[in-house]
Amino acid sequence: MRISRRRFLATVGAGVTLGGAGCVGDDGATAGAGSEPDSSTGTSAASTATDRNDRPEPPTADSRLHLDYETGTLEEHIVSGGVPKDGIPAIDDPTFADTPPDGLAPDDPVFGVVRDGEAKAYPQYILVHHEIVNDTIAGDAVAVTYCPLTGTAQGFERGPVEFGVSGRLVNSNLTMYDRGTDSWWPQMLATAIKGPLTGESLREFRVTWTTWSHWSSVYPETRILTEDTGFSRRYGVDPYGQYNEKRGYYSSTRTLFEPLHGDSRAHPKVVVIGTRTETGALAFDKETLLNQGVLTGRIDDTPYVAIADTDLASGYVYANPESMSVAASDDGYMIDGTAYDADSLPLDRTLSFDAMWFAWAGFYPGSGYVN
């Protein structure tokens, strides 16, 4: 059964004042919606910021990411999120400070990025009102994106274009559009399903979902996004609930839109760390990973290993085709008698990100789930 976001927010988001609050367009309609780049999506010279019919394009990857559905099927499942294009305004001129905003508590979630030694943090309580930040980090034009309905924070190279919020959803997920070609990109898929770039995959980089206390402890020189966004919003009021402590939509079994595929292997809002390649997808239960340190799974015949980063309350996923033994120790993670940090194992790291289970399973019904 599908229910409207407006109705959901009135029933599940009890105790949250909605007037002017998160994911509300300028017309007042309710809407929903760190680390270095990984090796999962490279770039070719032919695909970097070229013009197609005199329109600038975002850089695309050498290879296309795996999809469990045809792009035409995904396009058929596009639904309105309740606001028009740009009704949820992206932040195009972000400002940063060396100290956190007054509204940010130590255990509040932030999305962290590190590129070429430059660290930045993006508070969830600000991004829930905007979903996209068109930024520049270490001289690189990037987009840092967040979908509250699927619990996903992801980063994309944007080249000469900016990304905006289309006002549409697929599988409850933010569907971005690029302002060059007007192609539509479901955030989790990182692949265009409508427009001139249909079938192409974006170049991605890692965004770490963590807390302000974790991030600032690891990166004390980080800069943090401020509430000076150019828009008047009730920052600190989340129309979906809250993460610290988790409640409302973020903990409920209910979703606002019917998933593309239902999967009862886990609670719909359980957080998984998922990775996808050219051939398939795989998800690891985040809480289990943080408790156990190491989990293993497969995409087709290739073994993968997930590693917990307790300093950031996050994790990484590596291809492990030789099935090398990886064990947690007091010094890090041991491989052949040598200790490595969680983010620097001598294996090929694949891009991974946090997601709500219902959203991951909806897009990737063939995905393995390791818990």
Side-chain angles (χ1 to χ4, degrees):
M1 179 182 69
R2 174 182 166 186
I3 58 176
S4 71
R5 298 191 205 188
R6 188 172 302 170
R7 178 181 171 191
F8 180 89
L9 295 174
T11 57
V12 176
V16 179
T17 302
L18 296 180
C23 294
V24 175
D26 294 338
D27 59 359
T30 303
S35 300
E36 302 300 328
D38 290 288
S39 61
S40 57
T41 51
T43 181
S44 64
S47 66
T48 56
T50 59
D51 285 349
R52 187 172 305 186
N53 298 326
D54 297 324
R55 292 175 295 186
E57 300 179 2
T60 54
D62 284 338
S63 56
R64 299 181 178 187
L65 289 169
H66 169 79
L67 299 176
D68 272 27
Y69 304 91
E70 298 293 332
T71 56
T73 300
L74 293 166
E75 184 179 353
E76 290 172 0
H77 284 83
I78 294 172
V79 299
S80 172
V83 292
K85 180 185 283 187
D86 294 323
I88 299 170
I91 300 173
D92 296 333
D93 188 19
T95 62
F96 293 83
D98 296 326
T99 56
D102 291 338
L104 187 69
D107 290 335
D108 284 347
V110 299
F111 312 132
V113 177
V114 176
R115 292 174 69 90
D116 293 333
E118 182 176 349
K120 285 187 174 182
Y122 303 79
Q124 181 270 344
Y125 86 90
I126 295 177
L127 262 68
V128 74
H129 294 259
H130 298 283
E131 304 192 359
I132 296 174
V133 182
N134 290 301
D135 199 4
T136 301
I137 307 177
D140 298 327
V142 300
V144 176
T145 69
Y146 166 58
C147 178
L149 293 185
T150 55
T152 43
Q154 296 169 242
F156 305 100
E157 310 281 352
R158 61 182 178 87
V161 305
E162 295 173 331
F163 286 96
V165 180
S166 72
R168 302 293 190 268
L169 302 170
V170 180
N171 194 44
S172 295
N173 187 228
L174 159 67
T175 299
M176 313 178 297
Y177 76 95
D178 71 79
R179 295 174 182 165
T181 71
D182 199 32
S183 297
W184 289 12
W185 310 83
Q187 176 213 33
M188 288 180 65
L189 301 179
T191 300
I193 64 170
K194 182 177 181 180
L197 298 181
T198 293
E200 297 292 333
S201 296
L202 292 169
R203 291 175 56 194
E204 304 181 87
F205 60 88
R206 179 179 172 87
V207 175
T208 299
W209 183 310
T210 185
T211 65
W212 172 242
S213 61
H214 281 100
W215 184 258
S216 58
S217 294
V218 175
Y219 299 104
E221 302 302 316
T222 189
R223 307 201 75 211
I224 187 164
L225 181 72
T226 74
E227 296 177 13
D228 183 14
T229 63
F231 299 94
S232 178
R233 292 293 185 272
R234 296 186 67 189
Y235 297 117
V237 178
D238 187 329
Y240 299 106
Q242 68 176 38
Y243 272 103
N244 184 20
E245 299 279 334
K246 188 179 287 188
R247 70 184 185 193
Y249 174 85
Y250 303 128
S251 61
S252 170
T253 59
R254 301 170 68 187
T255 60
L256 297 187
F257 299 87
E258 194 75 23
L260 287 174
H261 172 78
D263 194 313
S264 62
R265 283 181 284 174
H267 185 291
K269 305 296 176 55
V270 156
V271 178
V272 298
I273 295 178
T275 190
R276 63 270 197 278
T277 67
E278 299 172 44
T279 61
L282 177 63
F284 298 88
D285 184 280
K286 185 175 184 178
E287 183 177 1
T288 303
L289 177 62
L290 292 177
N291 287 335
Q292 296 188 11
V294 179
L295 292 175
T296 59
R298 288 179 175 270
I299 297 178
D300 293 333
D301 294 329
T302 302
Y304 284 78
V305 59
I307 303 297
D309 184 336
T310 55
D311 289 339
L312 288 172
S314 185
Y316 305 93
V317 179
Y318 295 84
N320 189 15
E322 303 301 321
S323 297
M324 298 181 69
S325 175
V326 182
S329 73
D330 292 339
D331 297 323
Y333 291 92
M334 302 299 296
I335 299 180
D336 287 342
T338 301
Y340 298 90
D341 291 336
D343 63 348
S344 59
L345 269 60
L347 301 170
D348 288 333
R349 199 169 86 194
T350 60
L351 188 136
S352 60
F353 55 89
D354 291 20
M356 294 175 182
W357 169 245
F358 87 89
W360 186 267
F363 274 134
Y364 302 108
S367 172
Y369 171 55
V370 181
N371 67 344

